[in-house]
Amino acid sequence: MTTTATRPTGAKPRAAIDAKTLRTDRWWLAPVLTVIGLTAWVVYATVRVFMQKWYWIDAYHYLTPFYSPCVSKGCYPAAAEFGRFIPDNPLIPFAALSLPFLLLFRLTCYYYRKAYYRSFWLSPPACAVPDGHAKYSGETRFPLIFQNAHRYAFYAAALISLINTWDAVLAMHSPTGFGFGLGNVILWINVIMLWAYTISCHSCRHIIGGRLKHFSKHPVRYRAWTFVSKLNARHMGLAWITLATLAITDFYIMGLAAHWWPDLRFIG
């Protein structure tokens, strides 16, 4: 026996609308700005990663995060805190040990997935705007099924944040001992923002409190979960802020290494 849905008595028929969307606001602006912003950052980062120069200030131990940890045999010995064991090749980044994991962490990030799905793939470009694809399979098929690797990439990103923190500690240096300059301020701001972005990740929030059934029995984890949840609400903003701090930190150190400007020193 089959049944068919019936329209309520007196209900008006649905309007036959030919337009793809009735939105009259500039819904396309956010996707366009996202494409411009992400493309500009990727181009800059790619150029810098393969420049293989202007990344280390020996006098102050400044190391750009784009080259950390510097593990290529082409790295300056003083910059290679963790050894030099990767072949020195123009096609292999000096930080080849960490960059793939950082890229995986960003690519699989829940916010970035939303950002590039909407902007680059138009899937969909905005609310109440049709998807740009005829079919939709979600993240159940190759290659998007690998988005589920995000929870594992989080651990690698946390480890790399520890390395960046160690770099910032080592940079408290001058030719005569302890030192502190504008470069240190920039390095520490970048590290703090990277930690905020990393621990505001949805995976981190789930690891801390996602499996707890009774928060009252785990007060320490509950407090940590509450703190991470507050950061998680700002995850999108932190995602963009860290792109900016990474680029600014790298550009400042590049300028110092290229002798475009001197470091403003406060101590040492």
Side-chain angles (χ1 to χ4, degrees):
M1 180 178 179
T2 60
T3 60
T4 58
T6 58
R7 193 182 304 279
T9 304
K12 297 181 180 179
R14 296 187 63 181
I17 301 174
D18 295 327
K20 290 185 177 182
T21 179
L22 296 181
R23 291 187 60 168
T24 57
D25 62 321
R26 294 184 293 180
W27 57 264
W28 46 267
L29 183 59
V32 169
L33 292 177
T34 300
V35 168
I36 294 173
L38 290 180
T39 300
W41 193 89
V42 169
V43 170
Y44 173 83
T46 303
V47 171
R48 281 293 292 136
V49 162
F50 288 101
M51 281 181 68
Q52 299 185 344
K53 64 177 182 178
W54 298 339
Y55 61 90
W56 168 253
I57 307 299
D58 189 63
Y60 309 130
H61 289 188
Y62 291 166
L63 177 64
T64 173
F66 284 178
Y67 285 70
S68 178
C70 204
V71 292
S72 169
K73 292 181 179 179
C75 292
Y76 294 119
E81 278 288 318
F82 300 93
R84 299 185 298 168
F85 47 85
I86 291 179
D88 182 13
N89 187 292
L91 298 180
I92 302 178
F94 281 8
L97 188 66
S98 58
L99 290 177
F101 295 103
L102 289 176
L103 180 62
L104 180 64
F105 182 61
R106 296 265 176 175
L107 280 175
T108 59
C109 166
Y110 287 100
Y111 166 68
Y112 282 118
R113 280 144 77 170
K114 168 191 170 183
Y116 64 77
Y117 283 2
R118 287 191 170 191
S119 56
F120 288 91
W121 295 351
L122 305 178
S123 184
C127 294
V129 179
D131 196 302
H133 302 79
K135 297 181 179 179
Y136 175 76
S137 60
E139 297 175 343
T140 61
R141 297 181 181 179
F142 179 85
L144 295 185
I145 194 172
F146 288 106
Q147 300 284 30
N148 294 313
H150 181 63
R151 68 192 73 177
Y152 306 109
F154 164 76
Y155 295 109
L159 177 60
I160 296 169
S161 292
L162 283 173
I163 294 174
N164 291 151
T165 304
W166 178 242
D167 291 337
V169 171
L170 291 180
M172 307 293 290
H173 178 85
S174 76
T176 59
F178 176 80
F180 186 79
L182 179 58
N184 296 102
V185 175
I186 294 174
L187 281 168
W188 277 111
I189 290 176
N190 179 61
V191 165
I192 292 170
M193 290 297 100
L194 285 177
W195 272 117
Y197 167 68
T198 302
I199 66 175
S200 69
C201 165
H202 297 72
S203 293
C204 179
R205 183 170 180 264
H206 178 74
I207 290 169
I208 292 176
R211 294 182 179 274
L212 295 181
K213 295 183 178 180
H214 303 285
F215 281 133
S216 60
K217 295 181 180 180
H218 305 273
V220 175
R221 290 182 64 184
Y222 173 67
R223 286 181 178 274
W225 179 84
T226 302
F227 174 73
V228 170
S229 296
K230 292 179 180 178
L231 282 179
N232 180 257
R234 296 169 173 78
H235 195 54
M236 179 182 75
L238 290 169
W240 283 101
I241 288 172
T242 50
L243 289 185
T245 59
L246 281 166
I248 291 171
T249 303
D250 175 78
F251 188 76
Y252 183 78
I253 293 176
M254 177 176 64
L256 291 177
H259 304 292
W260 295 342
W261 51 69
D263 188 32
L264 176 61
R265 303 300 294 175
F266 307 122
I267 302 175

